[in-house]
Amino acid sequence: MKHVISPLDLSMEELDRVLSLAERIFKNPEKYSECCHGKKLATLFYEPSTRTRLSFEAAMLNLGGSVLGFSSADSSSAAKGESVSDTIRVVSSYADICAMRHPKEGAPFVASLHSSIPVINAGDGGHNHPTQTLTDLFTLKILKGHLDHLTIGFCGDLKFGRTVHSLINAMVRYPGSRFILISPDELRIPTYLREEVLSANNIPYCEVKVLEEVMPKLDILYMTRVQKERFFNEEDYIRLKDSFILDAAKMKYAREDMLVLHPLPRVNEIAAEVDDDPRAVYFTQAKLGVYVRMALIMILLNISAEL
Ligand code: NCD
């Protein structure tokens, strides 16, 4: 049985399988509408979510399965002090697969050690968010047509943004990836990523503080929200929250074929006027997330795509 805790839990071959199945589902969703009949997905969300939880649930419903779960720690026995390992032991007998989001890094991994059903990490603290990464890769595959030789600018909260950490880990496996990391000093990517992932693999990257000057070099601009919930004090958050605001004036520096991605939710970091720019694809990205989650659920449940 396979769990997906980090994007690296999927080999390149498995990743290709997920992305190509997602593409087939995207092109012909009706064909897959009964694939998971009789199967149940549990969504165990100890932290707020809109897209991730609802797209997981929509994915399972689109496959003809059912969903159960909770959307906050307060409404589960976590509020009474139950551990994730006890919760997952019990949920394993109620559902066939589970997606877990937790504020503590490593919680879905701990759950996987005690689970008899596949556990998918739906975001653990500032650590990883593999299904957002699958969504991001699928968006690039559909809209750019390839995942190699891309220069990606990550902008905003690169310290706490788990979507950034996961996507960097995934993209270094594609040839020709280059990274431009745009953040204030306090929100630089964690040292382990810089040293053990980027430098150790000789991946070209640079760190800058001004967005406009690097815009013309980018194939992809990946904007992120400053992660308020991970700050230790509000003063720092207030000082840093509007470090970067992408607006129509800044988009003028970008290439015609640059794409703007954002995992959402957006706060102030992208002005609403950018939404009408055809290069702004974050709402399409959110939509595509359902198809990769459908593909991932099918593959983890060993359901044949040829049904
Ligand atoms: C992201 C997350 O939860 O990490 N959202 C999402 O899952 N689409 C990004 C964020 O909250 O800023």
Side-chain angles (χ1 to χ4, degrees):
M1 192 198 14
K2 191 154 178 88
H3 306 287
V4 177
I5 305 300
S6 138
L8 302 178
D9 289 340
L10 296 172
S11 65
M12 287 303 267
E13 208 182 2
E14 290 168 325
L15 197 54
D16 279 351
R17 263 185 78 206
V18 174
L19 297 179
S20 55
L21 178 56
E23 195 166 350
R24 277 180 280 147
I25 298 173
F26 171 59
K27 290 184 176 149
N28 189 3
E30 292 77 26
K31 185 179 166 199
Y32 301 86
S33 63
E34 290 300 323
C35 278
C36 284
H37 182 75
K39 299 286 183 193
K40 294 192 230 49
L41 164 79
T43 49
L44 312 181
F45 276 60
Y46 296 84
E47 234 191 16
S49 169
T50 298
R51 267 149 298 273
T52 305
R53 187 171 62 83
L54 297 185
S55 66
F56 260 115
E57 296 192 355
M60 193 48 148
L61 296 172
N62 289 346
L63 292 168
S66 338
V67 297
L68 66 164
F70 53 82
S71 56
S72 76
D74 297 347
S75 62
S76 77
S77 283
K80 300 179 185 171
E82 187 173 52
S83 64
V84 290
S85 41
D86 281 2
T87 303
I88 195 68
R89 273 198 189 109
V90 174
V91 171
S92 290
S93 60
Y94 299 161
D96 301 287
I97 186 165
C98 110
M100 177 184 282
R101 168 170 290 189
H102 202 286
K104 283 208 184 110
E105 302 178 357
F109 171 68
V110 171
S112 72
L113 301 176
H114 301 272
S115 178
S116 54
I117 58 173
V119 175
I120 306 171
N121 177 8
D124 63 327
H127 195 211
N128 266 318
H129 193 344
T131 62
Q132 181 63 45
T133 298
L134 290 174
T135 301
D136 302 338
L137 296 176
F138 188 50
T139 304
L140 297 180
K141 189 172 177 221
I142 295 288
L143 300 180
K144 273 270 169 213
H146 62 99
L147 294 167
D148 54 350
H149 296 94
L150 291 173
T151 299
I152 308 189
F154 286 96
C155 178
D157 187 346
L158 312 189
K159 177 177 181 185
F160 296 117
R162 57 192 172 199
T163 61
V164 172
H165 306 159
S166 281
L167 187 54
I168 291 178
N169 265 309
M171 287 303 297
V172 296
R173 303 201 285 179
Y174 292 93
S177 293
R178 308 170 77 89
F179 302 102
I180 300 188
L181 307 170
I182 310 141
S183 75
D185 271 337
E186 292 97 322
L187 300 178
R188 289 171 71 196
I189 57 160
T191 315
Y192 80 90
L193 271 173
R194 218 175 17 248
E195 291 176 1
E196 291 161 36
V197 178
L198 297 176
S199 302
N201 292 298
N202 292 319
I203 307 292
Y205 78 95
C206 64
E207 296 184 277
V208 301
K209 295 193 188 98
V210 183
L211 175 58
E212 294 87 311
E213 69 190 32
V214 295
M215 284 286 265
K217 299 183 187 160
L218 303 179
D219 296 308
I220 312 295
L221 173 59
Y222 195 96
M223 293 297 295
T224 61
R225 170 181 74 90
V226 176
Q227 308 278 297
K228 182 179 184 187
E229 64 277 32
R230 317 246 180 260
F231 277 70
F232 295 111
N233 70 69
E234 203 176 344
E235 259 167 49
D236 284 349
Y237 170 70
I238 290 169
R239 184 167 49 81
L240 294 167
K241 73 183 172 63
D242 293 326
S243 299
F244 299 99
I245 298 179
L246 181 66
D247 55 15
K250 292 197 185 87
M251 284 300 284
K252 292 211 168 84
Y253 294 94
R255 296 212 299 252
E256 279 302 301
D257 62 349
M258 188 195 81
L259 297 179
V260 184
L261 272 70
H262 189 309
L264 303 176
R266 167 242 316 257
V267 187
N268 283 330
E269 59 280 0
I270 303 181
E273 65 191 13
V274 177
D275 299 354
D276 297 328
D277 189 308
R279 296 169 290 184
V281 298
Y282 26 90
F283 291 113
T284 307
Q285 181 186 358
K287 184 175 164 192
L288 294 174
V290 176
Y291 303 103
V292 270
R293 290 186 173 99
M294 288 169 78
L296 184 65
I297 290 171
M298 282 179 64
I299 287 172
L300 293 179
L301 289 178
N302 289 316
I303 289 172
S304 161
E306 309 315 324
L307 278 178

